[in-house]
Amino acid sequence: MRARTAIVCSVADQGVAALTNILVLVAAARLSTVADFARFSAVYLVFTVLLGVSGAYTGQPLVLRRGGDEETAGACRSAVLFTVLAAAAVGVPLAAVCLFLPGDTSRALVVLGLVLPVVLGQDAMRYAFSTLHLPHAALAGDTLRLACVLGALAVQPYGTAAARLVLVWGLSALPALLLSAVLLHRRAAGTPLRMRVLLKRGHLGRRFVVEFGVGNATSQLSVLGLGAVGNPLVVGALRGATTLFGPLNVLYTSATGFGPPLLRRLDGERRRVRATAALAVMLAATAAAWATVLALLPDAAGRQLLGDTWPTAAALLPATGSQYAAMAVGTCGLLALRMLDPRTTLSIQVVFSLTAVAFMAGGYALGGVPGAAWGLCLGSLCKAAATWTRVARIRRRKPAPDEAVTADALPSAP
């Protein structure tokens, strides 16, 4: 497949996957009472965390892999099977424990545990197809997933319980999983299964899970902590402002998770780094344009989006927009590091996640909620500068050939 066609298919696939997640929540909100939607949202949050951990452990190291066709296809087959088995190993105990707990939320968690291998397995297929340069196969699976989930939810009556919604949502991924399995079988049939390498101590997924935990948990808990020790309204204001930039979060996650196979089509590390820098400029410009559109929204339209939270969130748009522009540059810097030396990103994530928390707390002490937002922006700027400084240092060192990075990224079985 030509590079331009592959990029179009990959971008379209990310858009379909993001649209599916958004429409699932919209459909659930329309079908549920307030209480049931709160339960569904809580369960969906648990799934989102498990999805992030799964992608970090198996998906992100997989897309960094290079090597022979048979070797890469075998790694993809192994990663998908490992994900399904690991999801079952987590989901079955979760269902068993929650089965004996009272409440509707517990029943919904029981169902989540049972459908977890289906939904996580289908997501693992996306990483496998990206690695194999088959983004059209991922697009076919995700398009079928979107059609099935919307069709299944559309026939549910109003007032559907959270457990039933989770069951319908989870099982609707089964046709897409089966289609993807057929397409992957055609490409990887007969290749060796090597799942033991995914449990080795040096597996990159362990580092990426820590990065995911630090990057997400630190920001989440720091905002909640600031609301607990300061003004609880700060939580709603910062959450409301970042919610408006949800589409950019999808873009950034997709760039890190699915960018390496596309950029690797370019010859030479210099061209890849330049392309990543160009991507950083494009994403930063997109963030600035999106912030401008939000700032120009009429007050009535803003209240339709966020209700009474809109006025406080709108006041934070300059700071949050600047933060997301800086995040674009930092995300692309991390993407460049993933291709040059994937073991260098953990220290940056840890140090500058804590730095952002310190800036946020200091900003809140000096200027209230707007100060906290500008503190987060300053933290993102520092992280972006650190990532590209590290990229420049690695480039000056004249790194080893690409194959060395591959061996580190995903060790081969003995």
Side-chain angles (χ1 to χ4, degrees), residues 226 229-232 234 359-373 375:
L226 201 59
V229 301
N231 186 351
V234 69
F359 284 150
M360 182 188 68
Y364 180 75
L366 295 174
V369 178

Side-chain angles (χ1 to χ4, degrees), residues 60-88:
Q60 292 182 26
L62 184 64
V63 297
L64 294 176
R65 188 179 183 94
R66 278 164 282 182
D69 289 343
E70 182 178 350
E71 182 184 359
T72 302
C76 292
R77 184 168 169 243
S78 301
V80 170
L81 182 57
F82 178 87
T83 300
V84 173
L85 294 177

Side-chain angles (χ1 to χ4, degrees), residues 226 234 237-238 312 315-316 319-320 323 356-379:
L226 201 59
V234 69
L238 292 175
T312 53
L316 302 181
T320 306
Q323 177 194 356
V357 171
F359 284 150
M360 182 188 68
Y364 180 75
L366 295 174
V369 178
W374 282 111
L376 289 172
C377 176
L378 181 58

Side-chain angles (χ1 to χ4, degrees), residues 13-24:
D13 177 54
Q14 306 315 312
V16 169
L19 183 63
T20 301
N21 291 332
I22 294 171
L23 292 182
V24 164

Side-chain angles (χ1 to χ4, degrees), residues 175-248:
L177 176 63
L178 294 176
L179 173 63
S180 299
V182 170
L183 296 176
L184 182 62
H185 179 74
R186 290 181 179 178
R187 180 65 177 80
T191 56
L193 286 173
R194 294 174 177 173
M195 292 188 290
R196 291 180 60 186
V197 298
L198 296 167
L199 297 174
K200 284 187 174 182
R201 186 175 181 180
H203 177 52
L204 267 179
R206 297 189 179 190
R207 301 175 69 91
F208 292 162
V209 168
V210 175
E211 290 185 28
F212 171 79
V214 170
N216 286 266
T218 302
S219 59
Q220 303 267 358
L221 294 176
S222 61
V223 173
L224 293 176
L226 201 59
V229 301
N231 186 351
L233 295 178
V234 69
V235 179
L238 292 175
R239 281 277 176 256
T242 54
T243 298
L244 295 172
F245 288 85
L248 295 181

Side-chain angles (χ1 to χ4, degrees), residues 41-60 82-84 86-95 98 108-121 123-124 127 166 169 205 208-209 212-213 216:
S41 298
V43 174
Y44 202 79
L45 178 61
V46 174
F47 161 72
T48 302
V49 172
L50 294 175
L51 180 67
V53 171
S54 175
Y57 193 86
T58 58
Q60 292 182 26
F82 178 87
T83 300
V84 173
V90 173
V92 171
L94 174 65
C98 293
L109 286 171
V110 170
V111 177
L112 175 65
L114 297 177
V115 302
L116 200 60
V118 177
V119 290
L120 292 186
D123 185 74
Y127 288 97
V166 174
W169 159 78
F208 292 162
V209 168
F212 171 79
N216 286 266

Side-chain angles (χ1 to χ4, degrees), residues 135-354:
H136 57 290
L139 178 59
D142 283 335
T143 301
L144 179 61
R145 168 94 164 99
L146 175 60
C148 290
V149 70
L150 291 183
L153 290 175
V155 298
Q156 304 304 311
Y158 176 77
T160 301
R164 179 172 171 178
L165 285 176
V166 174
L167 180 63
V168 171
W169 159 78
L171 292 182
S172 67
L174 192 56
L177 176 63
L178 294 176
L179 173 63
S180 299
V182 170
L183 296 176
L184 182 62
H185 179 74
R186 290 181 179 178
R187 180 65 177 80
T191 56
L193 286 173
R194 294 174 177 173
M195 292 188 290
R196 291 180 60 186
V197 298
L198 296 167
L199 297 174
K200 284 187 174 182
R201 186 175 181 180
H203 177 52
L204 267 179
R206 297 189 179 190
R207 301 175 69 91
F208 292 162
V209 168
V210 175
E211 290 185 28
F212 171 79
V214 170
N216 286 266
T218 302
S219 59
Q220 303 267 358
L221 294 176
S222 61
V223 173
L224 293 176
L226 201 59
V229 301
N231 186 351
L233 295 178
V234 69
V235 179
L238 292 175
R239 281 277 176 256
T242 54
T243 298
L244 295 172
F245 288 85
L248 295 181
N249 287 327
V250 174
L251 285 177
Y252 298 166
T253 302
S254 299
T256 304
F258 299 92
L262 295 176
L263 290 170
R264 200 167 293 126
R265 290 172 176 266
L266 301 175
D267 295 327
E269 287 184 347
R270 178 176 296 181
R271 291 188 64 191
R272 294 171 194 156
V273 171
R274 287 180 177 176
T276 308
L279 178 63
V281 174
M282 292 173 57
L283 290 179
T286 302
W290 184 248
T292 303
V293 169
L294 292 173
L296 295 176
L297 279 180
D299 186 66
R303 288 183 179 275
Q304 287 291 326
L305 288 173
L306 292 181
D308 293 337
T309 307
W310 168 254
T312 53
L316 302 181
L317 285 176
T320 306
S322 300
Q323 177 194 356
Y324 271 80
M327 285 172 60
V329 179
T331 297
C332 291
L334 290 174
L335 174 58
L337 288 176
R338 288 280 174 91
M339 292 186 295
L340 293 172
D341 186 355
R343 298 184 183 278
T344 61
T345 56
L346 178 58
S347 59
I348 292 177
Q349 291 277 45
V350 172
V351 171
F352 288 96
S353 292
L354 297 176

